[in-house]
Amino acid sequence: MDAQAAADRRRKLDAVLADLRRECGPSLRVLAVAAERRAYETDALTSHRVLPGLVLLPADRSQVAPIVRACLRHGVPYVARGAGTGLSGGALPTESGVVIALAKLNRILDVDPDRMVAVVEPGATNLSISAAVAGYGLYYAPDPSSQVVCTIGGNVAENSGGAHCLKYGFTSHHVLAVETVLPDGSTVVLGSDDIEAPCYDAPGYDLRGVFVGAEGTCGVATRIAVRLLRKPEVVRTLVADFPDVPSACETVSAVIAAGIVPAAIEMMDNLAIRACEDAVHAGYDREAAASLIIELDGPGEECAELFEQVSALCSEHACTRLRIAADDAERAAIWAGRKAAFAAMGRLSPEFLLQDGVVPRTRLAEALAGIADLSSAAGLRVANVFHAGDGNLHPLVLYRESDGEGPAAEALAAAIAELCVALGGSLSGEHGIGVDKACSMPKMFSPADLTAMDRLRAAFDPSGLCNPNKVFPTPALCGEARGGAYQPHPLEETGKIQRW
């Protein structure tokens, strides 16, 4: 950035700050020093980093609209951020822009146990909702692995899922209404006329449905009404070990083909099993080639019958060990291992890239074989731990930046995403596109598709200031940003991947 551009950037940010000091007063916390802003330069996709121009922490949701209006008035881009646990770079700031950090807006505002609805602020953590309503025998179903720290605002932006979305659906299925500050600075409620008494089927266009999963490009959520579920009567959990990956994949298809919809079917390959067991000591078999965690819930009699059927199907598909959780403590230990998987990768490699592709469930074995081939060709290890029940893969590409493996890891991760699309799947299941997979969007969507999506986004944000440079491919993101002459990657030379 040249001196004039830097001066213009500073002038605009100073103007935003001056406006907000007058309108919001001292309760609006401002982080202007570079060392303070450094914590906001990346989300959990740490391979992308940009130091934001300014970080603002509203103390009250009434301060969000003035922030958006000030940014619009002075042409300053902004991005809302929760806990920063996103894995696609969806909360990556811009150098000339503002981060609206919503972590202090973390209250559970209201719980209506009769209507089974809770109204929460965007900075409330996912797990805090279930904790707040547990006394009523209720819970909030979407459960990302990071649910202890990830916020409901971020879940709404990315339409997050989790292990139990196979049976209970994604965030979009559990959000009834969203109070939103639109990019023009106005405040509206999407999905209902009254967020404190949201209806289940509002007439008209489903703008709530547009907003959930829009990756923060259509406005900033300030209150969210979520649907609660009653806790199941019985929960049964097992771990089934297999001598090879295809047998585990075939078991997944067999369970679904039998008409059984478990609450969760999770799968780990040997590399992931070893890392999780070493980290958490969950009692996994370190020698198993693959393991399934299968959980059923519901009425006791029905759950017992289906559990017997699932156990039999595992045995019919070469299961070598069937471990059934004896009590809640053992069940919690099994899930602790699975939910610690991403953190456990630190035992295998100092850096990793996490992909989020989806394939048809019947092509799981084919997808994992393809990933193994790509991994071998790239000379990089890939651990697999994922939501097998809905085909949502989470390959973890392990690499060492200090050994110069970063570009090869990025190419391998992109090749895996391309493989998922080629198998009839999707670029993302629950982590979003962000900046990480924006350049791959043309592989899945036609120019007409992308144009239609961009027009929808522009209807909400004609200024283009609300979380810019996400979702859609741009020359700066996908082309000249890397600089230098084009050099084909070794994977391209072997025909394993293609450049587009």
Side-chain angles (χ1 to χ4, degrees):
M1 180 178 293
D2 60 33
Q4 184 58 50
D8 288 345
R9 181 193 69 187
R10 190 69 261 163
R11 177 181 54 76
K12 290 182 177 181
L13 289 170
D14 288 345
V16 167
L17 195 52
D19 286 2
L20 293 174
R21 290 198 190 285
R22 284 193 298 272
E23 192 163 356
C24 297
S27 65
L28 175 65
R29 189 177 179 195
V30 177
L31 304 182
V33 177
E36 296 176 320
R37 289 179 278 134
R38 187 70 65 188
Y40 298 85
E41 68 178 359
T42 181
D43 56 17
L45 185 69
T46 56
S47 56
H48 294 262
R49 295 175 183 271
V50 177
L51 185 65
L54 197 63
V55 178
L56 303 172
L57 290 92
D60 185 274
R61 63 178 181 275
S62 65
Q63 294 177 337
V64 174
I67 293 172
V68 170
R69 286 196 292 267
C71 288
L72 177 63
R73 193 155 48 240
H74 299 288
V76 171
Y78 55 91
V79 55
R81 173 188 169 112
T85 57
L87 291 159
S88 62
L92 188 72
T94 62
E95 190 177 9
S96 59
V98 168
V99 171
I100 307 174
L102 301 171
K104 296 173 72 173
L105 306 183
N106 59 2
R107 294 178 297 166
I108 308 295
L109 297 169
D110 184 54
V111 176
D112 185 339
D114 295 329
R115 299 184 73 241
M116 297 199 295
V117 172
V119 180
V120 306
E121 291 186 319
T125 64
N126 174 291
L127 195 58
S128 71
I129 301 174
S130 290
V133 303
Y136 301 107
L138 304 173
Y139 75 110
Y140 177 65
D143 60 340
S145 295
S146 58
Q147 66 180 144
V148 175
V149 293
C150 69
T151 63
I152 188 66
N155 291 180
V156 168
E158 305 298 346
N159 191 21
S160 300
H164 293 81
C165 66
L166 171 63
K167 181 174 182 179
Y168 294 106
F170 288 78
T171 297
S172 181
H173 300 104
H174 299 272
V175 170
L176 299 173
V178 185
E179 180 187 79
T180 306
V181 176
L182 295 174
D184 67 357
S186 63
T187 299
V188 300
V189 176
L190 305 176
S192 179
D193 292 334
D194 185 355
I195 195 166
E196 295 177 353
C199 55
Y200 277 74
D201 187 18
Y205 291 113
D206 184 12
L207 299 180
R208 176 213 58 88
V210 173
F211 188 86
V212 178
E215 307 197 19
T217 62
C218 294
V220 182
T222 49
R223 283 192 295 174
I224 300 154
V226 299
R227 181 168 67 107
L228 305 172
L229 300 183
R230 199 163 300 286
K231 290 182 180 178
E233 178 183 332
V234 171
V235 180
R236 299 289 304 278
T237 307
L238 65 80
V239 179
D241 298 327
F242 294 87
D244 53 70
V245 169
S247 294
C249 295
E250 290 165 6
T251 302
V252 174
S253 293
V255 169
I256 302 299
I260 301 169
V261 181
I265 307 182
E266 299 289 290
M267 183 169 166
M268 296 185 288
D269 68 8
N270 181 260
L271 200 55
I273 292 169
R274 287 172 178 263
C276 293
E277 181 59 22
D278 291 347
V280 179
H281 309 297
Y284 299 152
D285 180 1
R286 299 180 80 260
E287 303 305 316
S291 293
L292 295 177
I293 299 174
I294 305 179
E295 187 162 279
L296 293 109
D297 63 11
E301 187 174 341
E302 175 188 286
C303 194
E305 180 181 344
L306 296 179
F307 199 78
E308 291 302 318
Q309 292 182 37
V310 169
S311 300
L313 288 168
C314 290
S315 298
E316 290 172 11
H317 289 82
C319 171
T320 56
R321 186 185 76 145
L322 198 63
R323 174 190 173 196
I324 299 173
D327 50 32
D328 287 347
E330 186 171 5
R331 174 174 172 262
I334 290 170
W335 279 112
R338 164 60 184 89
K339 296 203 171 188
F342 298 162
M345 290 303 127
R347 291 176 171 267
L348 301 177
S349 175
E351 284 94 18
F352 67 82
L353 292 176
L354 174 60
Q355 266 296 359
D356 176 40
V358 181
V359 297
R361 193 167 39 235
T362 54
R363 305 191 76 171
L364 274 176
E366 190 178 350
L368 292 172
I371 291 171
D373 288 343
L374 291 169
S375 170
S376 178
L380 296 173
R381 295 182 297 169
V382 176
N384 291 286
V385 51
F386 58 96
H387 310 310
D390 53 3
N392 187 185
L393 303 175
H394 288 326
L396 295 123
V397 178
L398 311 178
Y399 69 101
R400 286 182 177 275
E401 190 66 52
S402 60
D403 292 343
E405 295 175 339
E410 289 187 11
L412 176 54
I416 292 172
E418 179 183 350
L419 173 66
C420 292
V421 175
L423 291 175
S426 170
L427 291 170
S428 175
E430 57 179 344
H431 297 170
I433 299 299
V435 298
D436 185 40
K437 292 184 279 291
C439 300
S440 299
M441 287 288 276
K443 202 67 178 175
M444 184 168 179
F445 297 102
S446 70
D449 293 333
L450 293 172
T451 297
M453 284 189 270
D454 197 31
R455 285 176 176 169
L456 178 60
R457 171 180 175 159
F460 279 82
D461 181 24
S463 67
L465 295 174
C466 185
N467 201 15
N469 305 321
K470 310 292 165 29
V471 182
F472 299 98
T474 65
L477 183 64
C478 308
E480 70 268 24
R482 296 181 187 283
Y486 162 70
Q487 295 181 349
H489 186 270
L491 286 177
E492 293 179 76
E493 295 176 334
T494 61
K496 295 290 184 182
I497 63 173
Q498 294 178 328
R499 183 173 293 264
W500 62 86

